[in-house]
Amino acid sequence: MIQQFIELGQGYGDVFELCELIQTNEHRIHNAFIFTANHNGSMVASLAVAFKPSGESKFMPIYICREGIPYNEEKPSKRIEIFQEVVHKANKQESIFEIKHSSIFSETNQFYQYLIGILRLNHYLPPMH
């Protein structure tokens, strides 16, 4: 199984695009995630959704809005609330992970491999075979 992150962006509109993907592919949702990271003393969040492969495909897309959302556990931003509402409407629950910020990796691809490793290790993504 090939698992790959597809970055939608970091802005407000990108969260709406991610929510639209969730609504139109509700039957394919595998898991939803909120990744939090400390960046220069501030917490930021990434929102992501892993979809089951379509048809006979062995490709599992994981759409993500990376690190563009300020994160405060006690007072979630409107973007996080919108994401959670859409995920809950699809009868799913988001999983929250505190991770390393992508800036510590020399390439974004290394950051995504790190995330895939965490998700596989914790059985939130299926193994490669």
Side-chain angles (χ1 to χ4, degrees):
M1 166 119 16
I2 298 169
Q3 296 146 342
Q4 181 178 340
F5 277 90
I6 300 170
E7 190 170 316
L8 296 175
Q10 301 172 354
Y12 194 75
D14 302 314
V15 173
F16 285 110
E17 185 64 28
L18 181 61
C19 290
E20 183 66 23
L21 285 168
I22 293 168
Q23 291 171 335
T24 58
N25 292 283
E26 189 175 307
H27 63 287
R28 289 184 54 212
I29 297 173
H30 182 72
N31 274 314
F33 309 102
I34 298 175
F35 300 112
T36 64
N38 187 317
H39 183 60
N40 298 329
S42 297
M43 294 299 287
V44 293
S46 300
L47 307 177
V49 177
F51 289 101
K52 298 171 189 166
S54 63
E56 298 298 315
S57 170
K58 299 289 183 198
F59 176 71
M60 175 177 259
I62 309 162
Y63 291 93
I64 187 168
C65 296
R66 182 172 52 100
E67 299 170 338
I69 303 166
Y71 183 75
N72 181 336
E73 187 176 359
E74 296 169 9
K75 188 177 185 319
S77 76
K78 187 66 174 166
R79 290 179 276 184
I80 292 174
E81 288 176 348
I82 291 168
F83 175 76
Q84 289 175 317
E85 285 174 21
V86 171
V87 169
H88 296 167
K89 273 187 182 176
N91 295 317
K92 295 290 183 177
Q93 182 68 40
E94 69 283 352
S95 300
I96 301 173
F97 289 88
E98 188 169 341
I99 59 168
K100 296 177 183 177
H101 192 268
S102 67
S103 64
I104 70 163
F105 297 89
S106 59
E107 294 180 17
T108 306
N109 193 41
Q110 290 175 331
F111 171 68
Y112 288 139
Q113 290 304 314
Y114 157 74
L115 288 182
I116 287 172
I118 289 171
L119 296 175
R120 282 185 188 150
L121 182 66
N122 289 288
H123 306 287
Y124 286 94
L125 292 178
M128 288 183 69
H129 57 279

